[in-house]
Short mmCIF file of all heavy atoms in Angstrom, two decimals:
data_model
loop_
_atom_site.label_atom_id
_atom_site.label_comp_id
_atom_site.label_asym_id
_atom_site.label_seq_id
_atom_site.Cartn_x
_atom_site.Cartn_y
_atom_site.Cartn_z
N PRO A 1 11.64 10.91 -2.28
CA PRO A 1 11.61 11.39 -0.89
C PRO A 1 10.22 11.67 -0.35
O PRO A 1 10.01 11.62 0.87
CB PRO A 1 12.49 12.64 -0.89
CG PRO A 1 12.46 13.14 -2.32
CD PRO A 1 12.33 11.87 -3.15
N ASP A 2 9.28 12.04 -1.19
CA ASP A 2 7.95 12.41 -0.72
C ASP A 2 6.88 11.37 -1.06
O ASP A 2 5.68 11.67 -0.94
CB ASP A 2 7.54 13.78 -1.32
CG ASP A 2 8.51 14.89 -0.91
OD1 ASP A 2 8.94 14.88 0.29
OD2 ASP A 2 8.81 15.73 -1.75
N ALA A 3 7.28 10.20 -1.45
CA ALA A 3 6.32 9.18 -1.88
C ALA A 3 5.56 8.59 -0.73
O ALA A 3 6.08 8.45 0.39
CB ALA A 3 7.06 8.09 -2.64
N ASP A 4 4.33 8.25 -1.01
CA ASP A 4 3.50 7.46 -0.07
C ASP A 4 3.40 6.05 -0.64
O ASP A 4 3.34 5.86 -1.87
CB ASP A 4 2.09 8.07 0.04
CG ASP A 4 2.07 9.41 0.75
OD1 ASP A 4 2.81 9.52 1.75
OD2 ASP A 4 1.34 10.29 0.33
N PHE A 5 3.33 5.09 0.25
CA PHE A 5 3.27 3.70 -0.19
C PHE A 5 2.15 2.95 0.48
O PHE A 5 1.76 3.25 1.59
CB PHE A 5 4.59 2.97 0.26
CG PHE A 5 5.81 3.49 -0.40
CD1 PHE A 5 6.57 4.55 0.17
CD2 PHE A 5 6.26 2.96 -1.62
CE1 PHE A 5 7.69 5.00 -0.42
CE2 PHE A 5 7.39 3.45 -2.23
CZ PHE A 5 8.15 4.49 -1.64
N ILE A 6 1.64 1.93 -0.23
CA ILE A 6 0.84 0.88 0.33
C ILE A 6 1.53 -0.41 -0.06
O ILE A 6 2.28 -0.45 -1.06
CB ILE A 6 -0.65 0.90 -0.12
CG1 ILE A 6 -0.74 0.84 -1.67
CG2 ILE A 6 -1.41 2.09 0.43
CD1 ILE A 6 -2.17 0.67 -2.18
N THR A 7 1.25 -1.47 0.68
CA THR A 7 1.96 -2.71 0.40
C THR A 7 1.12 -3.90 0.83
O THR A 7 0.26 -3.78 1.69
CB THR A 7 3.33 -2.76 1.12
OG1 THR A 7 3.97 -3.99 0.81
CG2 THR A 7 3.17 -2.65 2.61
N ASN A 8 1.40 -5.02 0.21
CA ASN A 8 0.72 -6.25 0.58
C ASN A 8 1.49 -7.01 1.67
O ASN A 8 1.07 -8.03 2.15
CB ASN A 8 0.54 -7.18 -0.62
CG ASN A 8 1.84 -7.71 -1.17
OD1 ASN A 8 2.81 -6.96 -1.29
ND2 ASN A 8 1.86 -8.97 -1.56
N ASN A 9 2.67 -6.45 2.08
CA ASN A 9 3.45 -7.07 3.15
C ASN A 9 4.16 -5.98 3.96
O ASN A 9 5.31 -5.68 3.72
CB ASN A 9 4.44 -8.07 2.59
CG ASN A 9 5.10 -8.91 3.64
OD1 ASN A 9 5.31 -8.44 4.77
ND2 ASN A 9 5.50 -10.13 3.30
N CYS A 10 3.39 -5.43 4.90
CA CYS A 10 3.88 -4.30 5.69
C CYS A 10 5.13 -4.67 6.52
O CYS A 10 6.05 -3.91 6.64
CB CYS A 10 2.78 -3.78 6.56
SG CYS A 10 2.93 -2.04 6.92
N GLU A 11 5.10 -5.88 7.03
CA GLU A 11 6.21 -6.33 7.88
C GLU A 11 7.54 -6.31 7.08
O GLU A 11 8.54 -5.76 7.50
CB GLU A 11 5.97 -7.75 8.39
CG GLU A 11 7.09 -8.34 9.18
CD GLU A 11 6.76 -9.76 9.57
OE1 GLU A 11 6.15 -9.96 10.61
OE2 GLU A 11 7.12 -10.68 8.80
N PHE A 12 7.53 -6.90 5.86
CA PHE A 12 8.71 -6.92 5.02
C PHE A 12 9.12 -5.50 4.59
O PHE A 12 10.25 -5.11 4.59
CB PHE A 12 8.51 -7.84 3.82
CG PHE A 12 9.68 -7.94 2.92
CD1 PHE A 12 10.79 -8.65 3.29
CD2 PHE A 12 9.65 -7.33 1.65
CE1 PHE A 12 11.90 -8.74 2.46
CE2 PHE A 12 10.76 -7.44 0.83
CZ PHE A 12 11.88 -8.12 1.21
N PHE A 13 8.11 -4.75 4.14
CA PHE A 13 8.36 -3.38 3.66
C PHE A 13 9.02 -2.53 4.77
O PHE A 13 10.01 -1.87 4.54
CB PHE A 13 7.04 -2.73 3.20
CG PHE A 13 7.24 -1.35 2.65
CD1 PHE A 13 7.68 -1.14 1.34
CD2 PHE A 13 6.99 -0.22 3.44
CE1 PHE A 13 7.88 0.15 0.86
CE2 PHE A 13 7.18 1.05 2.96
CZ PHE A 13 7.62 1.23 1.62
N TYR A 14 8.46 -2.62 5.96
CA TYR A 14 9.04 -1.84 7.08
C TYR A 14 10.46 -2.30 7.41
O TYR A 14 11.36 -1.53 7.63
CB TYR A 14 8.15 -1.88 8.31
CG TYR A 14 8.66 -1.04 9.45
CD1 TYR A 14 8.59 0.36 9.38
CD2 TYR A 14 9.28 -1.63 10.55
CE1 TYR A 14 9.07 1.12 10.42
CE2 TYR A 14 9.77 -0.85 11.59
CZ TYR A 14 9.67 0.52 11.48
OH TYR A 14 10.18 1.32 12.50
N PHE A 15 10.65 -3.64 7.44
CA PHE A 15 11.95 -4.19 7.70
C PHE A 15 12.99 -3.72 6.68
O PHE A 15 14.12 -3.35 7.03
CB PHE A 15 11.92 -5.71 7.70
CG PHE A 15 13.21 -6.39 8.08
CD1 PHE A 15 13.60 -6.43 9.42
CD2 PHE A 15 14.06 -6.89 7.10
CE1 PHE A 15 14.82 -7.04 9.76
CE2 PHE A 15 15.25 -7.49 7.43
CZ PHE A 15 15.65 -7.55 8.79
N MET A 16 12.61 -3.64 5.41
CA MET A 16 13.55 -3.26 4.35
C MET A 16 13.76 -1.77 4.27
O MET A 16 14.85 -1.32 3.90
CB MET A 16 13.03 -3.78 2.98
CG MET A 16 13.00 -5.30 2.86
SD MET A 16 14.63 -6.07 3.09
CE MET A 16 15.52 -5.40 1.67
N THR A 17 12.73 -0.97 4.62
CA THR A 17 12.83 0.45 4.35
C THR A 17 12.86 1.32 5.63
O THR A 17 13.32 2.45 5.58
CB THR A 17 11.64 0.94 3.52
OG1 THR A 17 10.43 0.84 4.34
CG2 THR A 17 11.48 0.15 2.23
N GLY A 18 12.28 0.83 6.69
CA GLY A 18 12.17 1.65 7.90
C GLY A 18 11.01 2.66 7.79
O GLY A 18 10.80 3.45 8.68
N ILE A 19 10.24 2.58 6.71
CA ILE A 19 9.11 3.47 6.48
C ILE A 19 7.82 2.84 6.98
O ILE A 19 7.50 1.74 6.56
CB ILE A 19 8.99 3.81 4.96
CG1 ILE A 19 10.25 4.51 4.44
CG2 ILE A 19 7.73 4.65 4.73
CD1 ILE A 19 10.25 4.65 2.92
N PRO A 20 7.15 3.51 7.90
CA PRO A 20 5.83 2.99 8.30
C PRO A 20 4.92 2.91 7.05
O PRO A 20 5.02 3.70 6.13
CB PRO A 20 5.29 4.07 9.28
CG PRO A 20 6.49 4.73 9.76
CD PRO A 20 7.46 4.74 8.57
N CYS A 21 4.05 1.89 7.04
CA CYS A 21 3.27 1.66 5.82
C CYS A 21 1.85 1.35 6.16
O CYS A 21 1.51 1.18 7.31
CB CYS A 21 3.90 0.52 5.01
SG CYS A 21 4.12 -0.96 5.91
N ASN A 22 1.09 1.28 5.10
CA ASN A 22 -0.35 0.97 5.24
C ASN A 22 -0.62 -0.37 4.62
O ASN A 22 -0.24 -0.62 3.46
CB ASN A 22 -1.19 2.05 4.53
CG ASN A 22 -0.99 3.40 5.19
OD1 ASN A 22 -1.29 3.57 6.35
ND2 ASN A 22 -0.53 4.37 4.41
N TYR A 23 -1.31 -1.24 5.34
CA TYR A 23 -1.70 -2.54 4.84
C TYR A 23 -2.72 -2.40 3.75
O TYR A 23 -3.54 -1.49 3.81
CB TYR A 23 -2.28 -3.41 5.94
CG TYR A 23 -1.32 -4.00 6.86
CD1 TYR A 23 -1.07 -3.46 8.14
CD2 TYR A 23 -0.59 -5.13 6.55
CE1 TYR A 23 -0.15 -4.01 8.99
CE2 TYR A 23 0.33 -5.71 7.39
CZ TYR A 23 0.56 -5.13 8.63
OH TYR A 23 1.44 -5.70 9.46
N LEU A 24 -2.75 -3.29 2.82
CA LEU A 24 -3.78 -3.36 1.81
C LEU A 24 -5.04 -4.02 2.45
O LEU A 24 -4.93 -4.82 3.37
CB LEU A 24 -3.33 -4.20 0.61
CG LEU A 24 -2.28 -3.55 -0.24
CD1 LEU A 24 -1.87 -4.52 -1.33
CD2 LEU A 24 -2.85 -2.30 -0.89
N SER A 25 -6.15 -3.65 1.92
CA SER A 25 -7.42 -4.16 2.35
C SER A 25 -7.57 -5.65 2.01
O SER A 25 -6.98 -6.13 1.08
CB SER A 25 -8.51 -3.35 1.63
OG SER A 25 -9.77 -3.97 1.75
N ASN A 26 -8.39 -6.32 2.79
CA ASN A 26 -8.77 -7.70 2.46
C ASN A 26 -10.10 -7.79 1.73
O ASN A 26 -10.60 -8.91 1.51
CB ASN A 26 -8.79 -8.55 3.71
CG ASN A 26 -7.42 -8.80 4.25
OD1 ASN A 26 -6.49 -9.13 3.50
ND2 ASN A 26 -7.26 -8.74 5.56
N ASP A 27 -10.66 -6.65 1.39
CA ASP A 27 -11.93 -6.60 0.68
C ASP A 27 -11.67 -6.59 -0.81
O ASP A 27 -11.09 -5.66 -1.37
CB ASP A 27 -12.72 -5.35 1.10
CG ASP A 27 -14.09 -5.27 0.46
OD1 ASP A 27 -14.38 -6.00 -0.49
OD2 ASP A 27 -14.84 -4.42 0.96
N GLU A 28 -12.10 -7.67 -1.49
CA GLU A 28 -11.88 -7.79 -2.93
C GLU A 28 -12.35 -6.55 -3.72
O GLU A 28 -11.74 -6.14 -4.68
CB GLU A 28 -12.58 -9.06 -3.49
CG GLU A 28 -11.97 -10.35 -3.02
CD GLU A 28 -10.85 -10.87 -3.85
OE1 GLU A 28 -10.52 -10.34 -4.89
OE2 GLU A 28 -10.28 -11.90 -3.44
N GLY A 29 -13.47 -5.98 -3.30
CA GLY A 29 -14.04 -4.86 -4.01
C GLY A 29 -13.18 -3.61 -3.99
O GLY A 29 -13.33 -2.75 -4.88
N ASP A 30 -12.25 -3.48 -3.06
CA ASP A 30 -11.38 -2.32 -2.96
C ASP A 30 -10.40 -2.25 -4.11
O ASP A 30 -9.81 -1.22 -4.40
CB ASP A 30 -10.63 -2.30 -1.64
CG ASP A 30 -11.55 -1.96 -0.48
OD1 ASP A 30 -12.62 -1.41 -0.69
OD2 ASP A 30 -11.17 -2.28 0.68
N TYR A 31 -10.17 -3.39 -4.82
CA TYR A 31 -9.22 -3.42 -5.92
C TYR A 31 -9.89 -3.21 -7.26
O TYR A 31 -9.19 -3.05 -8.28
CB TYR A 31 -8.54 -4.78 -5.90
CG TYR A 31 -7.79 -5.00 -4.59
CD1 TYR A 31 -8.39 -5.67 -3.52
CD2 TYR A 31 -6.56 -4.44 -4.40
CE1 TYR A 31 -7.75 -5.82 -2.32
CE2 TYR A 31 -5.86 -4.63 -3.19
CZ TYR A 31 -6.51 -5.27 -2.15
OH TYR A 31 -5.85 -5.42 -0.93
N LEU A 32 -11.21 -3.18 -7.29
CA LEU A 32 -11.90 -2.97 -8.53
C LEU A 32 -11.94 -1.50 -8.91
O LEU A 32 -11.65 -0.64 -8.04
CB LEU A 32 -13.36 -3.47 -8.41
CG LEU A 32 -13.51 -4.97 -8.07
CD1 LEU A 32 -14.96 -5.33 -7.80
CD2 LEU A 32 -12.91 -5.83 -9.18
N PRO A 33 -12.17 -1.17 -10.17
CA PRO A 33 -12.24 0.26 -10.53
C PRO A 33 -13.24 0.99 -9.62
O PRO A 33 -14.32 0.51 -9.33
CB PRO A 33 -12.79 0.24 -11.97
CG PRO A 33 -12.34 -1.09 -12.47
CD PRO A 33 -12.41 -2.03 -11.28
N GLY A 34 -12.78 2.10 -9.09
CA GLY A 34 -13.59 2.89 -8.15
C GLY A 34 -13.40 2.46 -6.73
O GLY A 34 -13.88 3.14 -5.80
N GLY A 35 -12.77 1.35 -6.45
CA GLY A 35 -12.52 0.89 -5.10
C GLY A 35 -11.45 1.70 -4.41
O GLY A 35 -10.71 2.45 -5.03
N SER A 36 -11.38 1.57 -3.10
CA SER A 36 -10.49 2.46 -2.33
C SER A 36 -9.00 2.28 -2.68
O SER A 36 -8.28 3.26 -2.72
CB SER A 36 -10.72 2.27 -0.83
OG SER A 36 -10.38 0.95 -0.43
N VAL A 37 -8.56 1.04 -2.89
CA VAL A 37 -7.14 0.85 -3.25
C VAL A 37 -6.86 1.44 -4.64
O VAL A 37 -5.85 2.13 -4.82
CB VAL A 37 -6.76 -0.67 -3.20
CG1 VAL A 37 -5.36 -0.88 -3.70
CG2 VAL A 37 -6.89 -1.15 -1.74
N SER A 38 -7.78 1.18 -5.57
CA SER A 38 -7.57 1.78 -6.92
C SER A 38 -7.51 3.27 -6.82
O SER A 38 -6.68 3.94 -7.46
CB SER A 38 -8.72 1.36 -7.84
OG SER A 38 -8.66 -0.04 -8.10
N GLN A 39 -8.35 3.89 -6.00
CA GLN A 39 -8.36 5.35 -5.91
C GLN A 39 -7.09 5.89 -5.27
O GLN A 39 -6.54 6.89 -5.73
CB GLN A 39 -9.59 5.80 -5.06
CG GLN A 39 -9.77 7.28 -5.03
CD GLN A 39 -9.95 7.88 -6.45
OE1 GLN A 39 -10.81 7.44 -7.18
NE2 GLN A 39 -9.14 8.82 -6.81
N ILE A 40 -6.59 5.21 -4.22
CA ILE A 40 -5.33 5.64 -3.61
C ILE A 40 -4.23 5.62 -4.65
O ILE A 40 -3.37 6.54 -4.69
CB ILE A 40 -5.00 4.74 -2.40
CG1 ILE A 40 -5.96 5.01 -1.27
CG2 ILE A 40 -3.56 4.86 -1.95
CD1 ILE A 40 -5.91 3.95 -0.14
N LEU A 41 -4.18 4.58 -5.45
CA LEU A 41 -3.14 4.50 -6.48
C LEU A 41 -3.33 5.54 -7.55
O LEU A 41 -2.31 6.17 -8.00
CB LEU A 41 -3.12 3.09 -7.11
CG LEU A 41 -2.69 1.98 -6.15
CD1 LEU A 41 -2.99 0.59 -6.77
CD2 LEU A 41 -1.22 2.09 -5.78
N GLN A 42 -4.56 5.82 -7.95
CA GLN A 42 -4.82 6.87 -8.91
C GLN A 42 -4.39 8.26 -8.38
O GLN A 42 -3.96 9.13 -9.12
CB GLN A 42 -6.29 6.96 -9.27
CG GLN A 42 -6.72 5.84 -10.16
CD GLN A 42 -8.22 5.85 -10.44
OE1 GLN A 42 -9.00 6.58 -9.79
NE2 GLN A 42 -8.66 5.05 -11.39
N ASP A 43 -4.43 8.40 -7.04
CA ASP A 43 -4.01 9.67 -6.44
C ASP A 43 -2.49 9.80 -6.24
O ASP A 43 -2.04 10.78 -5.71
CB ASP A 43 -4.70 9.82 -5.03
CG ASP A 43 -6.21 10.02 -5.18
OD1 ASP A 43 -6.69 10.33 -6.28
OD2 ASP A 43 -6.93 9.81 -4.13
N GLY A 44 -1.72 8.77 -6.69
CA GLY A 44 -0.28 8.91 -6.70
C GLY A 44 0.47 8.03 -5.70
O GLY A 44 1.71 8.09 -5.69
N THR A 45 -0.22 7.27 -4.90
CA THR A 45 0.49 6.38 -3.97
C THR A 45 1.14 5.25 -4.74
O THR A 45 0.59 4.78 -5.73
CB THR A 45 -0.53 5.82 -2.95
OG1 THR A 45 -1.05 6.92 -2.16
CG2 THR A 45 0.12 4.85 -1.96
N ILE A 46 2.29 4.79 -4.25
CA ILE A 46 3.04 3.72 -4.90
C ILE A 46 2.70 2.41 -4.21
O ILE A 46 2.67 2.31 -3.00
CB ILE A 46 4.55 3.99 -4.84
CG1 ILE A 46 4.89 5.26 -5.61
CG2 ILE A 46 5.35 2.79 -5.37
CD1 ILE A 46 6.33 5.74 -5.41
N LEU A 47 2.45 1.39 -5.01
CA LEU A 47 2.27 0.02 -4.51
C LEU A 47 3.62 -0.67 -4.40
O LEU A 47 4.29 -0.82 -5.43
CB LEU A 47 1.30 -0.78 -5.38
CG LEU A 47 1.17 -2.27 -5.03
CD1 LEU A 47 0.60 -2.47 -3.61
CD2 LEU A 47 0.30 -2.96 -6.06
#
C-alpha cells in the first residue's frame, strides 16, 4: 500500500494500476552504480 514505483512504461503501468508513475531516465549513466535510478531503487522504490 505504501510502495513507490518507477517504470519503463508509464502508460501501461498507469493503465493497469491507476497509480501515477515516474518515467525512467533516458540517460545511460543514471543506471550505473551511483546513478539516480540506482539510488532511487536503493532507497526502496520498486521497479
Side-chain angles (χ1 to χ4, degrees):
D2 299 321
D4 291 320
F5 295 90
I6 56 173
T7 182
N8 68 318
N9 190 329
C10 209
E11 177 184 271
F12 180 73
F13 181 82
Y14 182 74
F15 183 79
M16 294 300 295
T17 68
I19 298 172
C21 55
N22 297 301
Y23 283 101
L24 288 175
S25 167
N26 287 319
D27 183 346
E28 293 271 356
D30 288 339
Y31 300 94
L32 300 175
S36 64
V37 172
S38 293
Q39 187 59 54
I40 289 168
L41 293 168
Q42 286 177 348
D43 292 343
T45 298
I46 297 171
L47 171 62

